[in-house]
Amino acid sequence: MLPRPIAPCRYWHRSLSPKKLIDIGFSRLAPRMTMARTIKLYKLPDAPITPGIRPFEPRDGPQVMELLNSYLQRYRITQKFSLEDVLHWFTPRENVVDAYVVEDGSGKVTDFSSYYNLPSTVLGHPEHSELKAAYMFYTVPGATPLKQLMQDIMTLAHAKGYDVFNALDLLENQQFLKDLKFGIGDGELNYYLFNYRVARPLVPSEVGLILM
């Protein structure tokens, strides 16, 4: 028997390639919507709008570690990252994980965001054989508004061929999910801790730990 979860979180989904998602049955046309209007609704900018955004590099590790650990202190359940953790989890690997930083003119890293790849096989479709899904990993907004930062990250993911961008409603994510046209999913992620009990279940905005 499983104990009571310490926190429940919900997945949200944002279409990046709406026509493909509808073609393979992942999503469907909304009532009174045409395919053309749906594609226009979910269209992203052609390029990021935040100056200084670029892929994470190993030399960014110390600054990203400091950003992450400082940011995550506000949450009731989280982890503390070592430099080795940062380099292991966030150094970009093709079709595994992508991470980006925003660097100001002085070389200071002010913002960080990442996502990982979890593809699915598409069966029985004459054109498509894979659904490429990006799952939001750790993000730390600083000088850049969170909504703008996430729009840029989705723009970059779409340019890499991702079809859908998924995010949980933990951290500060509820601030941008509806505005950036995420739709609530039917999948929940329950958090359990072995040999640990809390007085009350945490709400998603108190959770600062992302399970991969």
Side-chain angles (χ1 to χ4, degrees):
M1 177 182 292
L2 287 174
R4 185 175 67 173
I6 63 166
C9 296
R10 175 77 64 173
Y11 277 106
W12 290 63
H13 312 286
R14 208 288 188 179
S15 296
L16 303 181
S17 303
K19 184 179 185 303
K20 177 180 176 180
L21 295 177
I22 292 168
D23 285 347
I24 65 176
F26 180 88
S27 57
R28 64 184 66 184
L29 277 176
R32 296 183 295 279
M33 283 289 285
T34 65
M35 184 65 76
R37 289 174 62 193
T38 300
I39 292 171
K40 182 178 180 181
L41 175 68
Y42 290 108
K43 181 174 173 55
L44 289 162
D46 294 330
I49 63 173
T50 301
I53 193 168
R54 60 167 175 80
F56 171 89
E57 300 174 9
R59 64 184 174 92
D60 302 315
Q63 290 194 74
V64 169
M65 180 186 69
E66 184 177 342
L67 272 178
L68 266 173
N69 288 331
S70 176
Y71 175 73
L72 292 173
Q73 286 179 3
R74 69 184 70 179
Y75 299 100
R76 296 191 64 192
I77 176 172
T78 185
Q79 73 179 85
K80 184 173 183 179
F81 283 87
S82 67
L83 179 58
E84 290 75 17
D85 292 332
V86 169
L87 296 177
H88 173 76
W89 289 111
F90 303 122
T91 299
R93 296 173 180 84
E94 188 70 23
N95 293 321
V96 178
V97 65
D98 283 292
Y100 297 89
V101 298
V102 178
E103 183 180 32
D104 67 14
S106 68
K108 179 181 178 182
V109 172
T110 60
D111 308 80
F112 172 76
S113 189
S114 57
Y115 61 83
Y116 61 91
N117 179 32
L118 191 60
S120 300
T121 300
V122 177
L123 300 175
H125 194 278
E127 182 181 355
H128 304 294
S129 60
E130 183 182 70
L131 169 66
K132 195 170 182 181
Y135 281 76
M136 183 179 174
F137 205 17
Y138 285 93
T139 290
V140 180
T144 308
L146 178 58
K147 179 179 171 181
Q148 177 180 316
L149 182 61
M150 289 312 304
Q151 179 175 276
D152 282 347
I153 295 304
M154 290 193 296
T155 297
L156 290 162
H158 185 230
K160 282 181 167 282
Y162 284 89
D163 303 307
V164 63
F165 197 97
N166 301 318
L168 289 163
D169 57 358
L170 41 61
L171 299 167
E172 296 181 276
N173 294 359
Q174 294 183 47
Q175 295 183 19
F176 68 79
L177 291 171
K178 291 183 179 179
D179 287 347
L180 291 181
K181 303 182 178 70
F182 281 76
I184 191 169
D186 56 10
E188 275 197 343
L189 181 65
N190 290 318
Y191 283 73
Y192 299 91
L193 285 180
F194 176 73
N195 201 30
Y196 196 92
R197 184 169 60 184
V198 294
R200 62 166 178 83
L202 305 181
V203 297
S205 60
E206 295 177 305
V207 177
L209 177 66
I210 299 177
L211 303 177
M212 181 184 285

